[in-house]
């Protein structure tokens, strides 16, 4: 039987695409294998969002290309955002890739592999809108959590971002299809549903004429077997009172919200083709915190945008100080071709961009640590993810999204398996992570 290994890079939304392709590959009779070094076919599902991600994708492709003929690898497949963005250029520059498919051809992945194994080179693309959002999935992560992609593409057109070029316009999935998927995954044992899109808060506007994320959350919470529903990637301007009230009222909703604010300077935000300023962002955060007791707010920011002055950067620093975000990541601006910001002549030196991003993270560190210290003495429900050699368990609380946030390390009174929920008393903090012990019962 032909063994296929998949390496999926980039964001959780790209991972969902990979999981849909994995199911199609299985249905065709191929065998999925966790170790790409042992596979006849390797599929690299690439990211093409920013320069660092593109470099990682290309290096991964070339690494496998160099292994062709030296082991079992017979067929190298390239899919995902990099393949969609650079198309024939990528196919021409990496002739070792036997298959190069744009995202609109994901549904034909199994047939493309068959053709490549028979000796053809397959380089095919289709309209971005042909990307199927429905189907069976094979989860690439542990079986107790899943990402639920509620929409594809983006209409925000931020001046620095290439996502609309790669993924096309925003299109929501029908709610009944999403809920069918949630029920199916819950029946398989998935307990945490992470709702994702480029702009989750916009969900439903194109299909139903209004924001439908609150209703989707309420319906997902009704599904038997679901323990946590987490909301990621919400645009600050679309945090409605209904969304806040829904998140506060539903016990299954993690009191956690991810609102990428990107900057604190009104001038820079306008040039990013975003709205608002430091005060309007702080007002959104205030509304969230007042409306959802115990909420944890995550955000991301960009430092070093073209033309960013010392005064603009000071506004960004002020937002970090005043916002006191419990979770924060800051990235150095990445100059992307074919974007309005990328074509500007007032690009900042890369070293300055990275230095400013580093300064923001240094500023955030004591804020995050102070928050961690404030959790000492509290009791948290923790989703167990594993056990260290020293015997301590580790997992995540409602405050921690998969892959991006902190962990809780705790001692247990009995054996626990990954996927179990355990009540933990927080006894201390180590940098960003929490330390604790299983609460008496």
């Amino acid at each position: 039987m032909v063994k296929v290994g998949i390496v999926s890079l980039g964001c959780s939304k790209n991972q969902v695409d990979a999981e849909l392709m994995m199911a199609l590959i299985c249905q065709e009779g191929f065998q999925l294998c966790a170790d790409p070094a042992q596979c006849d076919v390797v599929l690299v599902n690439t990211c093409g969002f920013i320069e660092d991600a593109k470099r990682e994708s290309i290096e991964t492709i070339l690494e496998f290309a160099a292994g062709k003929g030296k082991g079992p690898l017979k067929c190298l497949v390239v899919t995902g955002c990099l393949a969609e963005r650079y198309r024939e250029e990528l196919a021409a520059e990496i002739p070792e890739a036997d298959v190069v498919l744009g995202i609109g051809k994901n549904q034909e992945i199994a047939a493309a592999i068959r053709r490549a194994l028979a000796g053809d080179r397959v380089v095919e693309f289709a309209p971005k809108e042909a990307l199927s959002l429905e189907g069976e999935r094979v989860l690439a992560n542990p079986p107790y959590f899943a990402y639920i992609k509620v929409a594809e593409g983006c209409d925000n057109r931020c001046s620095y971002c290439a996502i609309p070029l790669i993924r096309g316009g925003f299109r929501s999935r029908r709610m009944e299809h999403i809920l069918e998927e949630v029920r199916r995954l819950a029946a398989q044992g998935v307990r945490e549903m992470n709702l994702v899109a480029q702009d989750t808060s916009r969900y439903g506007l194109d299909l139903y004429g209004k924001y439908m994320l609150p209703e989707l959350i309420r319906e997902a919470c009704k599904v038997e077997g679901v323990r946590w529903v987490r909301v990621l990637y919400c645009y600050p301007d679309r945090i409605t009172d209904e969304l806040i009230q829904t998140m506060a009222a539903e016990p299954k909703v993690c009191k956690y919200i991810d609102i990428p604010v990107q900057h604190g300077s009104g001038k820079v935000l306008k040039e990013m083709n975003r709205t608002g300023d430091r005060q309007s962002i702080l007002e959104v955060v205030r509304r969230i915190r007042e409306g959802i007791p115990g909420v944890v707010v995550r955000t991301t920011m960009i430092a070093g945008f073209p033309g960013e002055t010392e005064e603009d950067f000071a506004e960004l620093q002020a937002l970090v100080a005043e916002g006191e975000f419990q979770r924060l990541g800051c990235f150095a601006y990445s100059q992307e071709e074919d974007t309005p910001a990328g074509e500007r002549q007032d690009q900042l030196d890369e070293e300055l961009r990275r230095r400013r991003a580093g300064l923001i993270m240094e500023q955030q560190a004591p804020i995050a640590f102070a928050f961690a210290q404030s959790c000492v003495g509290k009791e948290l429900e923790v989703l167990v993810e594993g056990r260290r050699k020293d015997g301590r368990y580790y997992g995540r609380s409602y405050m921690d999204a998969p892959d991006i946030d902190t962990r809780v390390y705790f001692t247990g009174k009995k054996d626990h398996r990954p996927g179990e929920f355990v009540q933990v008393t927080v006894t201390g903090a180590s940098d960003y992570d929490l330390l604790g012990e299983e609460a008496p019962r």
Side-chain angles (χ1 to χ4, degrees), residues 410-423:
F410 67 96
T411 55
K413 298 180 180 298
K414 57 181 182 179
D415 289 337
H416 298 291
R417 290 184 173 184
E420 287 185 29
F421 288 84
V422 177
Q423 294 298 125

Side-chain angles (χ1 to χ4, degrees), residues 157-160 261 263-277 305 344:
R157 302 285 171 177
C158 298
S159 67
Y160 53 82
V261 301
H263 214 279
S265 162
K267 176 179 79 70
V268 172
L269 285 166
K270 184 177 181 180
E271 292 171 351
M272 287 178 165
N273 198 31
R274 296 175 71 91
T275 58
D277 54 21
F305 187 80
R344 288 177 54 160

Side-chain angles (χ1 to χ4, degrees), residues 129 151-159 161-165 167-172 197-200 202-207 211 235 238 272-274:
E129 294 72 24
E152 178 57 75
C154 190
D155 286 345
N156 291 332
R157 302 285 171 177
C158 298
S159 67
C161 183
I163 290 297
L165 300 172
R167 290 281 176 169
F170 187 88
R171 56 190 180 106
S172 301
Q198 294 298 337
D199 180 0
T200 311
R202 193 185 184 97
Y203 171 73
L205 185 62
D206 53 324
L207 281 182
Y211 299 138
Y235 204 78
R238 285 186 267 279
M272 287 178 165
N273 198 31
R274 296 175 71 91

Side-chain angles (χ1 to χ4, degrees), residues 57-84:
S57 292
I58 292 169
E59 288 174 353
T60 303
I61 295 167
L62 293 177
E63 177 185 342
F64 285 111
K68 287 182 70 176
K70 300 177 183 178
L73 182 61
K74 303 180 183 68
C75 177
L76 177 58
V77 181
V78 180
T79 62
C81 289
L82 195 74
E84 176 65 30

Side-chain angles (χ1 to χ4, degrees), residues 239-366:
I239 305 298
T240 63
D241 290 341
E242 184 187 9
L243 177 59
I244 291 172
Q245 292 161 7
T246 300
M247 292 186 67
E250 289 291 345
K252 291 183 179 180
V253 171
C254 293
K255 310 313 178 195
Y256 172 109
I257 189 165
D258 177 18
I259 51 167
V261 301
Q262 310 302 16
H263 214 279
S265 162
K267 176 179 79 70
V268 172
L269 285 166
K270 184 177 181 180
E271 292 171 351
M272 287 178 165
N273 198 31
R274 296 175 71 91
T275 58
D277 54 21
R278 176 163 55 94
Q279 291 305 321
S280 65
I281 291 169
L282 290 171
E283 174 61 18
V284 171
V285 174
R286 182 196 63 78
R287 287 174 49 230
I288 292 170
R289 286 177 170 155
E290 287 186 0
I292 311 174
V295 71
V296 164
V297 182
R298 158 168 272 282
T299 193
T300 50
M301 298 174 173
I302 297 172
F305 187 80
E308 180 188 76
T309 64
E310 290 289 350
E311 291 75 17
D312 294 326
F313 183 63
E315 287 277 339
L316 180 56
Q317 291 177 306
L319 177 58
V320 174
E322 296 171 33
E324 295 185 324
F325 299 96
Q326 294 100 325
R327 305 281 185 259
L328 183 149
C330 185
F331 301 91
Y333 165 77
S334 176
Q335 183 178 4
E336 293 302 310
E337 57 193 329
D338 300 322
T339 64
E343 295 171 359
R344 288 177 54 160
Q345 299 302 306
D346 53 351
Q347 303 290 326
L348 272 60
D349 180 77
E350 183 174 355
E351 183 180 347
L352 177 58
R353 295 181 230 162
R354 293 188 181 276
R355 183 173 68 82
R356 285 183 175 177
L359 288 172
I360 293 296
M361 294 310 297
E362 287 177 14
Q363 182 184 352
Q364 172 65 15

